[in-house]
């Protein structure tokens, strides 16, 4: 039995599969525009964060017709604001951070999933086509009341 | 030029004093694992809304128990087991006793570190989980304890390197014996990998917890943590791979296919294990998408040596099975000596690891990670890797290791066989529950039974998780019973050696592969790759912004 040949075939097939998977991921990123949070290029001092734009005004801000910024602050153990209302069919940019420890931001029923880290700005983009309610769940341990921390995005 | 092949130090026996130190190191590890596993049962049952945690003495909160579960299982147990096993294999490979003062120092550091960490966790001063992300702030004894536990691994590594140096002097120009080479390579990878956590704990968190620094930089700390936090996975896994490559074939009646391939696989792990940490931080702000994609590519790269491992290990099992009359394309699998619990547990661990590896690839899948990040999918995945491939293999290894260390016969191989199957089935069921819960959006690390936003579709996955977790608990308890009874009451028996395989293709005596015994080439390559993978982040975020004050929300 030519073991070395079998091993080469096995490893070549495995390596090809890995390359194929990576190509799919790259296509999803570049071709379909499914992005991860990136480097926002700023550093916030948690002590002055609430006096710094845009976090001096948490909430929903219309920036253009059909376009909204949602400014959101995670803090133990709630979100500010706790409830966000946006019209269906709008393009939303979330700008979020944390006021104290690291929190999570997972928007139920969407692919939005990110960390809120003190000092950093988490920027996410999403288009809400259908009306409905989405739970915001904090999915990073943030202390005793972690499991109590949630919010809501209502698409009207 | 031809390089002479290594002597086989058959007949070498470790001095009793050293065997005893290694034994206590490994016993400490399993004691820690038993505490961690008991807490694990409480957490698993929580998913089915059954609260037994309130009956645990001294445990005040779910998150306190979760911290103990993570630290004792994933840090103290794994480090103790690796220190013990890899010291033994290095000495056995060279046929030389270890450096005694270093062995003592490593054990002392492990004990002191474990005691400090246990003190801080059990008194409720450090419920920050085993990732201890600042600005959650633990008591300084927690950070010091973890630092000492890591230092114990460095002392083990130093011991190996001292031995290597002596051996080279006594055997100029010879190939380093395979068993020692793999054991040393494992720790060399970890020496580099652990620098992240060491810098984080010693220079940032420990002084911060003592009030010597004004604050913490949460992003830089997270990044340093995951610099170590991914390769730590390979530090858990590689000692198990040493067993799968060099001992499992012996237990199965087979042989290792190729000495050279095996060495190359371990060298690939040194190079590729480390520059992949951002795949734990795909959803973090402050890190560019380019860096994240680079780490995704490298993570797929480090999957490759595991593919090669699957081939070699399966081939060794097949040789053994065919010798015993195994036939057919796959039916031979039934003919491996399943009655040996040391082998059965490790083969079952390999099967679980197939699923663990595939789910790991899903986690590492860049933007697709958003579907599963920080959901119950992740613990579903890693209870198949560290929770099964590593823990169940360690249980299997312990079925020859404990008799060897205690010089006693294994007590009840029957229970040992049963526990392996129960644990294996439990792990699969548990992971099925967690994975389906995660895909339905259930967060991880959460007292889910008490969450006001609890969703009905999490109920079934939760019940499956609890059933699986209970089976894992029963299986693990079976293992602890067998090991404790072996050490205390096993029939005294003289066991001179540990199981070591023969290789079909022996070490090469010439060619490029010979020069790779000099680990310095591999280390330099590794450092260059790390600089490329982490350089852009460091340029952007160093010096750290120490603006976050500490919070003790527990």
């Amino acid at each position: 039995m030519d073991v070395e040949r079998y091993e080469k075939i096995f490893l070549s097939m495995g390596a090809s599969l890995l390359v194929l998977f990576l190509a799919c991921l790259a296509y999803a990123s570049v071709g379909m525009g499914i992005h991860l949070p990136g480097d926002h290029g700023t550093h916030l001092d948690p002590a002055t964060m609430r006096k710094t734009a845009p976090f001096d005004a948490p909430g929903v801000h219309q920036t253009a017709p059909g376009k909204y910024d949602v400014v959101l602050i995670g803090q133990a153990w709630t979100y500010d604001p706790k409830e966000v209302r946006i019209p269906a069919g709008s393009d939303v940019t979330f700008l979020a951070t944390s006021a104290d420890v690291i929190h999570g931001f997972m928007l139920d029923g969407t692919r939005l999933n990110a960390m809120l880290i003190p000092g950093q700005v988490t920027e996410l983009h999403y288009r809400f086509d259908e009306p409905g309610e989405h739970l915001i769940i904090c999915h990073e341990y943030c202390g005793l009341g972690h499991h109590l921390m949630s919010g809501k995005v209502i698409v009207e | 030029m031809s390089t002479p092949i290594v002597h086989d130090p058959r007949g070498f026996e470790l001095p009793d004093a050293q065997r005893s130190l290694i034994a206590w190191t490994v016993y400490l590890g399993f004691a820690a694992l038993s505490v961690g596993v008991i807490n694990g049962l409480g957490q698993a049952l929580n998913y089915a809304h059954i609260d037994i945690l309130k009956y645990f003495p001294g445990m005040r909160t779910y998150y306190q128990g979760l911290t103990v579960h993570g630290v004792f299982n994933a840090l103290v147990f794994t480090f103790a087991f690796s220190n013990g096993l890899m010291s033994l294999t290095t000495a056995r490979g060279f046929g030389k006793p270890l450096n005694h003062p270093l062995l003592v120092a490593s054990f002392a550091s492990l004990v002191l570190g474990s005691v400090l960490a246990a003190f801080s966790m059990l008194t409720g001063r450090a419920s920050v989980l085993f990732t201890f992300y600042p600005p959650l702030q633990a008591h300084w004894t927690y950070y010091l304890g973890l630092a000492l536990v890591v230092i114990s691994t460095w002392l083990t590594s130093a011991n190996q390197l001292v031995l290597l140096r002596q051996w080279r002097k006594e055997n100029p120009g010879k190939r380093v014996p395979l068993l020692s080479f793999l054991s040393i390579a494992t720790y060399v990878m970890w020496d580099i990998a652990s620098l992240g956590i060491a810098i984080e704990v010693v220079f940032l968190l420990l002084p911060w917890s003592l009030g010597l620094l004004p604050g913490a930089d949460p992003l830089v700390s997270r990044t340093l943590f995951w610099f170590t936090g991914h390769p730590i996975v390979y530090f858990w896994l590689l000692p198990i791979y040493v067993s799968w490559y060099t001992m499992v074939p012996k237990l199965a009646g087979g042989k290792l296919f190729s000495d050279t391939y095996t060495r190359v696989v371990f060298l690939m792990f040194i190079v590729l294990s480390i520059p992949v940490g951002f795949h734990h931080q795909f959803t973090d702000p402050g890190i560019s998408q380019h860096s994240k994609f680079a780490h995704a590519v490298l993570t797929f790269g480090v999957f490759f040596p595991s593919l090669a491992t699957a081939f070699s290990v399966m081939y060794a099992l097949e040789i053994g099975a065919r010798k015993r009359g195994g036939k057919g394309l796959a039916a031979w699998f039934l003919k491996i000596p399943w009655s040996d619990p040391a082998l059965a547990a490790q083969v079952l661990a390999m099967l679980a690891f197939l699923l663990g590896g595939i789910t790991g690839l899903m986690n590492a899948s860049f933007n697709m990670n958003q579907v599963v990040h920080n959901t119950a999918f992740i613990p579903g995945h890693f209870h198949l890797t560290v929770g099964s491939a590593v823990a169940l293999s360690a249980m299997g290894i312990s079925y020859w290791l404990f008799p060897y260390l205690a010089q006693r016969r294994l007590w009840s191989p029957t229970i040992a066989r049963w526990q392996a199957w129960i644990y294996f089935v439990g792990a699969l069921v548990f992971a099925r529950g967690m994975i389906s819960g995660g895909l339905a959006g259930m967060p991880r690390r959460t007292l889910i039974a008490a969450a006001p936003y609890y969703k009905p579709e999490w109920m079934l996955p939760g019940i499956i998780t609890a059933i699986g977790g209970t089976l894992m608990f029963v299986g693990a308890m079976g293992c602890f019973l067998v090991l404790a009874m072996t050490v205390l009451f096993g029939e005294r028996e003289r066991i001179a050696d540990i199981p070591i395989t023969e290789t079909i293709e022996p070490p090469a005596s010439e060619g490029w592969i010979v020069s790779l015994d000099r680990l310095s080439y591999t280390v330099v390559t590794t450092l260059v790759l790390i600089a490329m993978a982490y350089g852009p982040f460091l340029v952007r975020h160093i010096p750290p912004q120490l603006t976050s004050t500490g919070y003790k929300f527990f």
Side-chain angles (χ1 to χ4, degrees):
Chain A
M1 195 164 72
D2 188 356
V3 181
E4 216 152 331
R5 198 167 65 88
Y6 284 131
E7 176 151 21
K8 273 176 189 149
I9 294 171
F10 173 78
L11 290 179
S12 314
M13 280 174 15
S16 314
L17 209 55
L18 291 175
V19 171
L20 177 70
F21 289 162
L22 278 171
C24 292
L25 295 171
Y27 174 73
S29 179
V30 179
M32 298 164 68
I34 301 175
H35 294 299
L36 292 164
D39 185 358
H40 199 264
T42 47
H43 181 90
L44 296 163
D45 184 340
T48 56
M49 179 269 289
R50 279 187 180 277
K51 293 181 191 123
T52 314
F55 298 102
D56 51 349
V60 184
H61 308 282
Q62 188 164 24
T63 52
K67 286 191 192 299
Y68 295 86
D69 278 357
V70 173
V71 178
L72 193 78
I73 301 171
Q75 59 189 61
W77 291 293
T78 187
Y79 294 95
D80 179 13
K82 195 166 166 63
E83 201 172 283
V84 172
R85 289 175 182 271
I86 41 168
S90 44
D91 287 308
V92 175
T93 299
F94 289 91
L95 294 166
T97 190
S98 164
D100 39 48
V101 298
I102 296 179
H103 293 289
F105 173 92
M106 176 165 62
L107 197 62
D108 188 38
T110 72
R111 63 170 167 78
L112 296 187
N113 184 333
M115 308 309 299
L116 309 183
I117 298 179
Q120 303 296 326
V121 180
T122 303
E123 185 178 331
L124 299 165
H125 301 273
Y126 198 73
R127 185 179 166 80
F128 291 90
D129 285 321
E130 304 289 323
E133 280 193 14
H134 300 274
L135 202 57
I136 308 172
I137 296 175
C138 174
H139 62 13
E140 184 54 79
Y141 171 65
C142 54
L144 261 186
H146 160 54
H147 50 278
L148 306 175
M149 182 166 167
S150 68
K152 210 174 264 182
V153 172
I154 299 169
V155 186
E156 300 174 313
Chain B
M1 192 190 87
S2 171
T3 310
I5 304 305
V6 139
H7 64 277
D8 179 5
R10 229 178 285 261
F12 162 74
E13 285 189 43
L14 206 61
D16 282 344
Q18 299 199 346
R19 185 180 10 226
S20 153
L21 269 169
I22 290 174
W24 281 103
T25 305
V26 175
Y27 298 166
L28 172 76
F30 274 88
L33 182 66
S34 66
V35 175
V37 162
I38 291 169
N39 275 286
L41 176 67
Q43 282 127 31
L45 291 178
N46 162 63
Y47 283 95
H49 297 256
I50 302 167
D51 183 11
I52 60 163
L53 291 161
K54 57 181 175 234
Y55 305 115
F56 284 19
M59 284 288 134
R60 287 193 290 273
T61 73
Y62 175 84
Y63 301 108
Q64 188 186 7
L66 194 56
T67 306
V68 171
H69 182 70
V71 170
F72 274 23
N73 286 1
L75 301 179
V76 178
F77 162 65
T78 53
F79 288 8
F81 185 77
S82 298
N83 281 356
L85 183 65
M86 296 289 96
S87 298
L88 173 62
T89 49
T90 305
R92 171 57 179 79
F94 285 136
K96 286 176 69 67
L98 294 152
N99 178 299
H100 204 74
L102 280 172
L103 192 62
V104 173
S106 171
F107 180 66
S109 180
L110 182 71
V111 171
L112 188 60
S114 306
V115 168
L116 280 175
F119 161 78
S120 62
M121 289 186 293
L122 297 174
T123 55
R125 288 177 168 91
S127 300
V128 293
L129 307 190
F130 94 103
T131 44
F132 51 87
Y133 297 137
L136 279 177
Q137 191 183 51
H139 194 248
W140 62 270
T141 47
Y142 181 77
Y143 301 120
L144 185 61
L146 294 187
L148 285 169
V149 171
V150 171
I151 287 170
S152 83
T153 62
W154 291 350
L155 290 166
T156 297
S157 181
N159 205 334
Q160 293 177 322
L161 295 175
V162 166
L163 229 58
L164 173 65
R165 203 189 164 87
Q166 287 172 355
W167 184 88
R168 276 205 168 121
K169 254 188 211 150
E170 293 157 11
N171 299 274
K174 282 192 190 171
R175 295 297 307 272
V176 179
L178 182 67
L179 186 60
S180 302
F181 183 82
L182 303 184
S183 310
I184 293 169
T186 298
Y187 269 75
V188 166
M189 184 283 290
W190 172 246
D191 290 339
I192 306 170
S194 56
L195 290 176
I197 222 170
I199 292 169
E200 183 198 8
V201 168
V202 175
F203 294 108
L204 296 172
L205 300 188
L206 186 57
W208 174 60
S209 70
L210 290 166
L212 302 173
L213 282 179
D217 185 329
L219 179 66
V220 167
S221 268
R222 259 172 93 78
T223 304
L224 287 170
F225 180 85
W226 287 116
F227 177 95
T228 303
H230 193 73
I232 202 175
V233 164
Y234 298 105
F235 182 54
W236 298 332
L237 195 59
L238 289 183
I240 302 301
Y241 275 13
V242 172
S243 164
W244 289 2
Y245 271 109
T246 68
M247 298 168 191
V248 158
K250 175 81 172 180
L251 299 173
K255 282 181 185 177
L256 173 63
F257 169 54
S258 164
D259 178 280
T260 298
Y261 276 20
T262 308
R263 288 177 202 247
V264 170
V265 161
F266 274 70
L267 294 174
M268 286 177 78
F269 273 116
I270 296 180
V271 176
L272 290 170
S273 288
I274 303 165
V276 298
F278 285 161
H279 79 243
H280 291 258
Q281 298 178 279
F282 281 149
T283 66
D284 279 19
I287 304 169
S288 80
Q289 292 199 64
H290 298 110
S291 290
K292 289 174 178 175
F293 194 74
H295 283 229
V297 172
L298 288 164
T299 310
F300 276 56
V302 75
F303 197 73
F304 188 78
S306 279
L307 277 177
T309 302
F311 184 93
S312 284
V313 175
M314 281 299 151
Y315 181 60
L317 291 176
E318 185 173 347
I319 298 172
R322 290 204 188 278
K323 265 194 220 155
R324 295 162 53 89
K327 296 213 166 29
L329 196 61
W332 57 263
F333 197 68
L334 301 173
K335 282 280 183 187
I336 60 177
W338 287 101
S339 60
D340 176 3
L343 179 68
Q346 294 189 71
V347 174
L348 294 174
M350 291 168 196
L351 295 180
F353 193 46
L354 289 176
L355 297 168
I358 291 164
T359 48
L361 211 52
M362 294 175 187
N363 300 340
S365 291
F366 195 54
N367 34 25
M368 209 169 84
N369 171 268
Q370 291 175 105
V371 181
V372 295
H373 174 74
N374 265 8
T375 70
F377 186 96
I378 306 297
H381 150 73
F382 68 65
H383 281 79
L384 293 170
T385 54
V386 66
S388 299
V390 175
L392 186 53
S393 287
M395 292 175 193
I397 291 165
S398 69
Y399 293 142
W400 62 256
L401 182 61
F402 272 58
Y404 169 80
L405 293 173
Q407 294 288 303
R408 287 171 187 270
R409 184 173 295 174
L410 186 69
W411 182 85
S412 185
T414 314
I415 296 181
R417 266 195 300 280
W418 274 97
Q419 81 73 214
W421 279 97
I422 294 169
Y423 191 93
F424 170 69
V425 172
L428 293 184
V429 172
F430 174 89
R432 174 64 174 76
M434 289 292 247
I435 284 171
S436 55
L439 292 175
M442 181 165 68
R444 70 183 280 204
R445 312 182 126 178
T446 302
L447 179 55
I448 202 71
Y453 52 78
Y454 189 86
K455 293 166 70 176
E457 58 259 46
W458 297 340
M459 185 54 93
L460 182 61
I463 291 170
I464 297 173
T465 299
I467 293 172
T470 306
L471 288 172
M472 289 174 86
F473 172 79
V474 171
M477 287 297 139
C479 170
F480 302 146
L481 175 71
V482 170
L483 297 180
M485 292 299 281
T486 301
V487 171
L488 295 173
F489 304 113
E491 213 177 304
R492 287 196 184 277
E493 188 178 40
R494 182 147 159 65
I495 302 164
D497 203 4
I498 66 177
I500 299 174
T501 184
E502 291 169 48
T503 43
I504 297 171
E505 287 185 0
S509 57
E510 52 194 4
W512 57 274
I513 184 65
V514 175
S515 62
L516 289 183
D517 277 9
R518 295 264 160 210
L519 285 166
S520 46
Y521 302 121
T522 310
V523 169
V524 169
T525 312
T526 307
L527 295 176
V528 170
L529 199 59
I530 290 172
M532 286 163 66
Y534 276 102
F537 177 87
L538 294 175
V539 168
R540 164 88 172 78
H541 291 284
I542 297 297
Q545 309 276 324
L546 303 177
T547 51
S548 272
T549 45
Y551 294 90
K552 294 188 164 79
F553 286 154
F554 43 82

